[in-house]
Amino acid sequence: MAMVDGDVTTVGVIGLGAMGAPMTANLLRRSGGPVRITGRVKDKHQALIESGAHWHDTARSLATGCDVVLLMLPDLPEVEQVLAGPDGLLAAVPDDLLLIISSTSSPTGVRELAERLLEQTDGAVKVVDAPVSGGVDGAVAGTLSIMVGGADADVARALPVLAACGTPVHLGPLGAGEVAKACNQMIVSATILALGEAAVLADRSGLDLAKLFDLLAGGYAGSRLLTTRGDRIVTADYSPSGVAKYMVKDLSFATAVAEATDTHPILLPALSAAFDELVERGLGDYDISVARRFVAER
């Protein structure tokens, strides 16, 4: 995990779920300023509080005096909920606040939100998009790949915070991070479906699947997904880490980017249809490794 020396930024985190909680734990370990948190149930986050996080009952209270707020939320509608209302972030009337949006969202939606916030706050609230890849394991280890989009000055403020959680890379203007995450999800969805199909084919052909996956990992079929999800696929452990249903919205963003760039993809429509069907079959709340079961039950 990268450490940040001399950073005295006051950081707030909203979205303390499977990804946000371990990211906050890593922020607490950095050499830096205070970390503030808020959520629905205080008792659920006692471990973070005991590690030094400052609890706030509302987003408004958290944002008062904060320099940077990391939003690890599912999508922009949840971001809007945190911003709005008498207890929302904007009610704190910040004078210089950077929002890091780490949800997997629409690049266009992120840009529109940023423009509205700049106008609404007279330039006091700025936005960087920074979706992540690496799953819960990466969040715990502080090894996430973090795809960053935004203006140079804003990204310069965000990087020391994000470096505590993994490897942030500035890829371009606002929205670039979301485009990168759409590309990431195209590759992830294609790979996990291929692994699921291969698992079913091999199993029904009488092969030892564990031995096969160990063998494939050393060749061109090797991948990060095979390394982190291979055992789950073999043992049919579909307990959620990367929830399958979120791939539907992620691929919809990739489709929108394809349309906006006049790109005519071959795999993307099939991937979108496959995950739509997976969710319709009631498998959306499982880990993406449930692709094996999805293929087997078709």
Side-chain angles (χ1 to χ4, degrees):
M1 184 183 71
M3 298 302 293
V4 184
D5 295 325
D7 177 22
V8 292
T9 302
T10 300
V11 179
V13 183
I14 301 177
L16 302 173
M19 297 290 291
M23 290 171 71
T24 302
N26 284 325
L27 282 167
L28 287 164
R29 295 186 189 104
R30 68 186 179 136
S31 174
V35 176
R36 302 175 174 186
I37 61 173
T38 189
R40 292 188 180 91
V41 182
K42 180 179 181 180
D43 291 346
K44 185 178 178 181
H45 308 297
Q46 281 301 319
L48 291 175
I49 295 169
E50 290 171 4
S51 296
H54 301 276
W55 175 262
H56 291 262
D57 290 329
T58 67
R60 175 180 181 172
S61 173
L62 176 144
T64 303
C66 249
D67 303 299
V68 176
V69 175
L70 173 64
L71 300 174
M72 197 63 206
L73 299 165
D75 201 355
L76 294 183
E78 291 79 10
V79 172
E80 295 279 10
Q81 291 174 10
V82 165
L83 292 173
D87 290 328
L89 282 173
L90 296 181
V93 194
D95 59 8
D96 185 18
L97 178 65
L98 179 67
L99 298 182
I100 302 176
I101 297 179
S102 286
S103 58
T104 300
S105 301
S106 159
T108 301
V110 167
R111 288 190 288 263
E112 290 175 348
L113 173 62
E115 290 172 4
R116 175 164 57 83
L117 289 176
L118 275 176
E119 182 178 354
Q120 186 176 345
T121 66
D122 197 24
V125 177
K126 301 178 179 66
V127 172
V128 162
D129 61 308
V132 305
S133 181
V136 174
D137 291 343
V140 171
T143 58
L144 293 170
S145 295
I146 308 175
M147 299 156 253
V148 186
D152 289 347
D154 299 332
V155 171
R157 292 176 63 189
L159 289 181
V161 174
L162 295 171
C165 303
T167 303
V169 176
H170 187 193
L171 296 168
L174 192 65
E178 301 297 354
V179 174
K181 185 60 183 288
C183 295
N184 181 89
Q185 297 303 78
M186 290 171 64
I187 296 168
V188 169
S189 60
T191 303
I192 201 67
L193 277 175
L195 288 171
E197 291 187 358
V200 174
L201 186 152
D203 181 59
R204 291 179 178 177
S205 299
L207 278 65
D208 184 315
L209 188 54
K211 289 183 179 179
L212 173 64
F213 275 9
D214 283 344
L215 179 64
L216 295 181
Y220 281 155
S223 68
R224 179 69 176 164
L225 272 177
L226 181 54
T227 300
T228 61
R229 293 302 203 279
D231 287 346
R232 284 173 172 261
I233 295 172
V234 170
T235 62
D237 174 12
Y238 307 137
S239 55
S241 175
V243 181
K245 66 183 178 183
Y246 291 143
M247 196 63 75
V248 172
K249 76 174 179 67
D250 296 353
L251 293 173
S252 74
F253 300 143
T255 299
V257 172
E259 292 173 353
T261 57
D262 196 25
T263 302
H264 302 276
I266 297 168
L267 288 178
L268 181 54
L271 295 170
S272 296
F275 275 90
D276 285 345
E277 181 183 340
L278 185 152
V279 172
E280 289 169 3
R281 287 175 175 266
L283 302 176
D285 289 326
Y286 292 104
D287 186 78
I288 55 173
S289 56
V290 80
R292 177 187 178 181
R293 176 177 164 184
F294 168 60
V295 172
E297 292 180 353
R298 294 184 83 235

